[in-house]
Amino acid sequence: MDGGTRRITGTRLIDHDGAVQQGDFLLHPDGALSPSKGDEDVVESIDGSMRLVTRSFQNWHTHLAMVLNKSMGEALPLMEWLETAVFPVESNLTAGFVEAGTRAAAAEIIATGTTFACDMYYHPDVVAQTLAESGVRGTVCGPITEFPTPSYPEGPGQALSTMERLIAEGSPRPERVEYGIGTHSVYTCSEETLKKASEISRNTGCTLSIHTSETRKEVADCHAEHGMYPIEYLDSIDYFTEGTVCAHCGWVTKKEMRILAGHHAHAVHCPVSNQKLACGGTMSYPAMREAGVDVRLGTDGAASNNALDMRAEAKAASLVQRHDHWDARILDPSETWRLATNGSTDWVTWDLDDIRMRPWGRDSRRVLANLIYSGGRVLDVFVDGEALRRDGTTLTIDERAAASALEDAVTEYYADI
């Protein structure tokens, strides 16, 4: 029953614009939508009377396998959290642990309505293989730093050459999963490394991803060393390529926003992670939009977020922007929806029988706000016409087995720590 057009009857449907449509619809494998007359050749007809059909969420900044570190090192500030709770255990990281963590993460994002992740984590070949098997879409950016990592014990040269090879070979499922380069940050990558990564991106067309201006200290240190703020510095060394993914952007000047817009970069708002780690600075969504920057939404890792639930991230983004700018009109439900689903060609259905979706209101006008601010249960997930989840059960991953493997991996992961 996969790979074809589906008919959903008597349903409510929300596309990117946030408007509620009602009726019978055809969901095509290429992501297109059309009304149904009832006589089309389809692989399946679904009763949509108690379903809300929507575009899927897109998670533009993740460290998927860090579900291994979920709920670890609570109540610690960012650098202390990294140095005492994350880096020590990551020295014990193996490809097997990454596989277990990524599979559990993929199960979570499917179960919460997400079909794309832009990831940055170790053993990217394992991440790509696991995502390919799960059926979701992904841009898998192998992390590059000056210091040795579990993937690249010989340092940045090995990291860059390995990513160059993986990009040339292609992923196990290239129509859904691609490789990119994750230069970690300006404070962990030398100018030479940043330039080399940019060169590979230009030569191959792969995505560049980087943590940018996440903390006030990062920004101050960069200015003290280079006389420029991080995005200014990256621009000065000709780092940016088309569509560079810049995660966080919490401490960014208006000049830097114009630089991002000029390079058609994606600035990724990660509100839950930034608040949990008390980064202090929040991306200014109104200023970014005024400067013409393409803003996306991401969870960061499950370690700094405790979840990969993009519905919850959308709610947090809406609320923190209103709070910080003293303006309740910012990121209303429709605009929040566009932010959270930007770029999606996939479909998700939500259970309208879930009490959190009530009341629907006249013409179902309340369902979008209810979904964003109250929550909902995912019933179905369709990618390229393939059902990854049906009637509340994920088909491409055995959730119970993934959970058990995660528990076993965590027990072994910490054995020597």
Side-chain angles (χ1 to χ4, degrees):
M1 296 197 303
D2 288 326
T5 296
R6 283 180 170 78
R7 179 189 297 113
I8 299 191
T9 60
T11 197
R12 299 155 180 84
L13 183 145
I14 298 176
D15 207 338
H16 291 295
D17 62 4
V20 180
Q21 305 175 53
Q22 299 193 51
D24 301 344
F25 300 96
L26 298 174
L27 307 183
H28 302 288
D30 64 357
L33 165 74
S34 62
S36 173
K37 298 177 182 178
D39 58 356
E40 302 87 358
D41 184 18
V42 296
V43 297
E44 183 180 15
S45 188
I46 300 171
D47 178 2
S49 58
M50 294 304 293
R51 279 170 160 81
L52 171 67
V53 183
T54 74
R55 291 293 180 180
S56 64
F57 291 121
Q58 308 284 281
N59 192 339
W60 278 83
H61 183 58
T62 63
H63 309 286
L64 291 172
M66 287 189 78
V67 70
L68 291 159
N69 310 104
K70 183 177 179 180
S71 301
M72 183 187 73
E74 295 290 332
L76 294 176
L78 175 59
M79 293 313 298
E80 185 179 351
W81 174 75
L82 287 171
E83 291 169 1
T84 65
V86 176
F87 292 157
V89 296
E90 282 187 339
S91 64
N92 202 35
L93 195 64
T94 66
F97 294 150
V98 169
E99 180 181 3
T102 304
R103 197 172 306 278
E108 181 177 345
I109 67 174
I110 292 170
T112 52
T114 294
T115 62
F116 167 79
C118 183
D119 195 56
M120 183 195 292
Y121 208 58
Y122 306 115
H123 298 289
D125 54 332
V126 175
V127 175
Q129 179 65 45
T130 307
L131 292 185
E133 292 170 3
S134 77
V136 301
R137 305 180 191 273
T139 299
V140 179
C141 301
I144 315 296
T145 63
E146 292 306 307
F147 50 84
T149 67
S151 298
Y152 315 114
E154 297 174 20
Q158 181 190 21
L160 288 167
S161 63
T162 300
M163 290 314 303
E164 200 166 11
R165 174 180 57 79
L166 289 174
I167 292 163
E169 292 174 352
S171 83
R173 201 169 187 176
E175 72 278 12
R176 295 192 195 175
V177 179
E178 63 182 12
Y179 286 112
I181 299 179
T183 43
H184 181 270
S185 61
V186 298
Y187 59 89
T188 59
C189 292
S190 68
E191 181 176 325
E192 179 184 0
T193 295
L194 292 167
K195 286 182 173 180
K196 178 60 177 176
S198 179
E199 179 186 341
I200 295 171
S201 175
R202 284 185 173 84
N203 291 340
T204 64
C206 80
T207 297
L208 270 180
S209 179
I210 189 168
H211 297 97
T212 319
S213 305
E214 184 176 3
T215 67
R216 183 168 56 179
K217 184 179 187 304
E218 172 194 339
V219 169
D221 288 350
C222 183
H223 195 275
E225 182 176 355
H226 302 289
M228 292 173 280
Y229 297 119
I231 291 168
E232 289 180 290
Y233 166 65
L234 291 170
D235 187 46
S236 76
I237 63 172
D238 199 24
Y239 168 81
F240 290 100
T241 60
E242 185 76 14
T244 297
V245 177
C246 297
H248 301 294
C249 297
W251 296 84
V252 177
T253 66
K254 289 189 175 181
K255 176 183 177 182
E256 290 178 293
M257 294 178 191
R258 292 191 292 271
I259 291 171
L260 292 175
H263 291 294
H264 305 288
H266 306 300
V268 186
H269 188 22
C270 303
V272 173
S273 175
N274 292 161
Q275 289 177 87
K276 182 187 174 188
L277 295 174
C279 291
T282 302
M283 176 191 290
S284 176
Y285 178 79
M288 284 283 193
R289 298 301 296 139
E290 183 180 353
V293 180
D294 180 62
V295 179
R296 303 294 173 108
L297 198 60
T299 58
D300 206 352
S304 63
N305 185 305
N306 295 93
L308 296 166
D309 185 349
M310 283 296 296
R311 197 284 315 169
E313 203 71 32
K315 174 179 179 178
S318 174
L319 299 186
V320 75
Q321 291 297 326
R322 296 179 188 191
H323 176 271
D324 283 3
H325 294 89
W326 294 45
D327 186 351
R329 294 177 178 84
I330 296 173
L331 283 176
D332 65 16
S334 292
E335 188 169 5
T336 301
W337 187 252
R338 287 193 293 273
L339 173 63
T341 63
N342 193 349
S344 174
T345 58
D346 304 322
W347 297 101
V348 171
T349 77
W350 304 82
D351 185 2
L352 282 177
D353 223 6
D354 188 329
I355 190 62
R356 292 171 293 179
M357 296 295 291
R358 301 282 187 158
W360 304 336
R362 184 181 302 170
D363 299 324
S364 300
R365 65 183 61 176
R366 300 189 189 187
V367 294
L368 179 59
N370 287 347
L371 175 58
I372 293 172
Y373 299 115
S374 293
R377 182 166 53 249
V378 172
L379 294 177
D380 310 302
V381 176
F382 303 116
V383 176
D384 289 338
E386 178 189 358
L388 308 190
R389 185 176 175 91
R390 280 291 280 119
D391 292 323
T393 299
T394 296
L395 306 178
T396 55
I397 298 174
D398 182 330
E399 285 191 15
R400 182 163 295 183
S404 178
L406 178 65
E407 295 290 357
D408 291 343
V410 167
T411 300
E412 185 180 352
Y413 186 41
Y414 293 111
D416 298 325
I417 303 300

